[in-house]
């Protein structure tokens, strides 16, 4: 159906270009691509209750206003944690982890562990310096510049500069589909995690629900590139992004790949019927 | 008294509230017995649901429903390398001998909740946990067991589990992977206690029970089980509240049903008719009421609680006899009047 065939060596360059060009309007477009659709369903949210649709009990969740919140609550950060967020240049995940660990209410429940708080450190790794700049700017806006626990590192997901067994958690949100060799990224994730460490991946994934699937296809292939042209003036990049989502392995296949990398207790959770999926695994 | 009764009715396997009232030293009246009996069926209905979820009553051991238990050497290694430091607090009485290879592990995973269930098909909302099940379950158990040592200080909380994970040289991040975190710890403890109880019965204490009356046997078993909770008694109210949360209540009911079943079996229960449900319900109610009574008991070594247990069981069993007495009485009355109830009804509808 007209997917552009991209050669391996060209892929990383193309991805680099895409992200350099979309970096500034990244937030807006991300909203439109993933959370926009989510907002269509938000009206049907009953506070705290489970959804009545048949598309799974993870569709609406008490404490998630968006997918990042769900990712963070699955991650369950603790004081003293060493966390690595890959391809998270803009800091979406990192800021939420910091907030979660530092929040007053959280500290109250964890009472006895505040002495470990100083050891907390979150590393944000991204291959694209522009994205990192956006992240640093957002950190400044939120007042995180005095935070000793945030580090911004440039690096490649396929060849991380961190030591073996140095991280408690590893997250990659909306980033793994842009990696050329997914298996390499997964094995790098396995390498840097400690024993008992968790791997979490938030990614746009496949919808198999019959009617919803067609709606989603129309939305993706017709609406998004058009909006991309209007908002960011770049139809091609968004066309590429939509195609890359379709090319990404399905939930079960990706879960299998994670398991092959060595992780145990691999599972995934579909959000919004499969538009977004969170895969998780534990290193033992 | 009021709060105890409320707790008992909420947590127990539907022990009728009226029953608690009738347990007194006053002479029992005919009406009271009928009232208790009438609430029986509704009480049994919900208990029936719980019972269908259990493995067959004849199978005493909790069968592995999901992952197969690891080989014995693995279980032994796990015991010997357990890196838990000697705690300054009283440790629950653990079997000094080798534990049988992980029979409660599988039951724990069965009670772990929806997160552990394996579902295939691409339309599924979530994907199941994959292989290495034995490895992950083992590690999970290790962490939870180590966490129990921290519970008296930190309560049934994530802090205790994080400290437990650190004790066994695991990253505390693994706690995030446990389904319903605090509930996982409480459920592990319940399963562990049940396993200890069964082991102690098998190890020889079961023989000692043979010489006692039924009421004494039951008392002894309930006491054995409740004594396992004494090191955690200061934090037990928290465990009860965790167990009664909507997400966790089905598992906790299941565990209690299995426990009561096990106690009756060890006490030498031979009945298989309608009495079975009544017996389980009643004992479930006694157990929960005693559990709650223990929370406010300050007597030395919980002496008052054991007295409470003895009295409740005696009264309950006396009540049992009364059901049969009532039935017998009704029949003789009917025969005296001239014909069974069926005969009376036939006469009524014949015209």
């Amino acid at each position: 159906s007209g997917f552009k065939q991209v050669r391996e060596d060209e892929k990383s360059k193309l991805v680099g270009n895409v992200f350099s060009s979309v970096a500034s309007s990244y937030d807006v477009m991300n909203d439109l691509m993933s959370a926009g659709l989510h907002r269509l369903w938000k009206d049907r949210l009953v506070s705290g209750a489970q959804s009545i649709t048949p598309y799974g009990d993870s569709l609406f969740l008490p404490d998630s206003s968006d997918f990042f919140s769900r990712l963070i609550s699955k991650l369950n950060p603790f004081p003293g944690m060493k966390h690595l967020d890959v391809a998270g240049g803009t800091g979406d995940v990192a800021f939420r982890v910091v907030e979660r660990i530092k929040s007053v209410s959280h500290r109250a429940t964890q009472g006895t562990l505040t002495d470990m708080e100083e050891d907390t450190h979150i590393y944000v790794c991204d291959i694209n310096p522009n994205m990192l700049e956006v992240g640093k700017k957002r950190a400044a806006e939120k007042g995180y510049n005095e935070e000793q626990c945030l580090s911004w590192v440039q690096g490649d997901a396929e060849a991380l500069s961190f030591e073996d067994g140095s991280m408690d958690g590893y997250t990659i949100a909306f980033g793994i589909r842009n990696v050329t060799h997914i298996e390499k990224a997964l094995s790098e994730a396995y390498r840097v995690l400690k024993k008992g460490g968790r791997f979490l991946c938030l990614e746009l994934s496949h919808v198999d629900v019959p009617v919803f699937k067609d709606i989603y296809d129309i939305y993706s292939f017709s609406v998004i590139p058009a909006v991309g042209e209007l908002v960011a003036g770049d139809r091609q990049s968004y066309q590429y992004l939509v195609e890359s989502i379709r090319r990404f392995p399905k939930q079960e296949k990706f879960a299998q790949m994670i398991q092959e990398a060595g992780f145990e207790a691999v599972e995934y959770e579909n959000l919004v019927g499969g538009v977004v999926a969170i895969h998780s695994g534990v290193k033992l | 008294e009021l709060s105890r009764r409320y707790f008992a009715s909420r947590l127990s396997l539907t022990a009728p509230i009226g029953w608690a009232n009738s347990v007194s030293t006053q002479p029992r009246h005919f009406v009271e017995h009928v009232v208790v009996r009438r609430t029986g069926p509704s009480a049994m209905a919900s208990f029936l649901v719980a019972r269908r979820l259990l493995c067959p009553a004849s199978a005493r051991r909790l069968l592995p429903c999901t992952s197969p238990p690891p080989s014995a050497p693995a279980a032994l290694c796990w015991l010997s390398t357990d890196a838990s430091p000697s705690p300054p607090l009283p440790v629950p009485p653990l079997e000094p001998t080798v534990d049988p290879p992980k029979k409660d592990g599988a039951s724990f995973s069965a009670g772990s909740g929806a997160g552990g269930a394996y579902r295939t098909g691409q339309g599924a909302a979530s994907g199941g946990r994959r292989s290495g099940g034995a490895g992950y379950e083992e590690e999970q158990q290790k962490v939870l067991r180590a966490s129990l040592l921290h519970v008296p200080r930190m309560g049934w909380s994530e802090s205790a589990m994080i400290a437990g994970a650190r004790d066994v040289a695991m990253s505390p991040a693994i706690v995030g992977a446990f389904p319903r975190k605090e509930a996982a710890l409480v459920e592990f403890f319940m399963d562990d206690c049940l396993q200890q109880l069964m082991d102690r019965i098998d190890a020889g204490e079961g023989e000692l029970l043979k010489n006692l009356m039924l009421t004494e046997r039951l008392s002894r078993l309930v006491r054995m089980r409740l004594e396992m909770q004494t090191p955690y008694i200061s934090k037990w109210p928290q465990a009860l509240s965790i167990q009664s949360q909507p997400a966790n209540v089905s598992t906790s009911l299941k565990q209690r049903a299995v426990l009561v079943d096990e106690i009756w079996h060890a006490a030498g229960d031979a009945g298989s008719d309608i009495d079975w449900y009544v017996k389980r319900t009643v004992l479930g109610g006694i157990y929960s009421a005693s559990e709650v009574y223990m929370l406010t008991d300050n007597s030395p070594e919980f002496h008052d609680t054991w007295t409470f247990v003895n009295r409740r069981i005696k009264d309950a069993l006396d009540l049992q006899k009364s059901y049969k007495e009532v039935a017998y009485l009704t029949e003789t009355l009917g025969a005296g009047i001239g014909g069974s109830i069926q005969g009376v009804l036939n006469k009524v509808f014949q015209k």
Side-chain angles (χ1 to χ4, degrees), chain A residues 18-31:
Chain A
V18 162
F19 277 92
S20 297
S21 88
V22 311
S24 51
S25 48
Y26 183 70
D27 280 339
V28 177
M29 277 316 296
N30 212 22
D31 260 347

Side-chain angles (χ1 to χ4, degrees), chain A residues 76 110 168 195 252 259 266 270, chain B residues 125 127-128 130-131 158-159 171:
Chain A
N76 205 53
Q110 300 288 28
D168 292 300
K195 182 169 186 227
E252 288 284 339
Q259 203 192 353
V266 178
N270 278 345
Chain B
R130 282 141 204 285
S131 86
E158 275 183 45
S159 324
S171 164

Side-chain angles (χ1 to χ4, degrees), chain A residues 56 74 76 78-79 109-110 112 116 168 195-198 208 250 252 255 259 264-270 282 284, chain B residues 115 119 122 124-132 135-136 139 154 158-159 162 166 170-174 176-177 181:
Chain A
K74 279 199 102 149
N76 205 53
F78 57 90
T109 55
Q110 300 288 28
T112 45
M116 304 291 288
D168 292 300
K195 182 169 186 227
R198 283 183 82 207
D208 277 321
K250 292 203 164 188
E252 288 284 339
Q259 203 192 353
E264 308 260 349
V266 178
E267 58 177 13
Y268 65 86
E269 185 185 338
N270 278 345
V282 179
L284 287 176
Chain B
R119 270 180 276 162
Q122 287 167 343
S126 64
R129 303 216 154 177
R130 282 141 204 285
S131 86
Y136 174 72
E139 299 294 336
M154 298 186 196
E158 275 183 45
S159 324
I162 289 171
R166 288 216 170 98
M170 280 278 204
S171 164
I174 198 174
K181 309 174 191 14

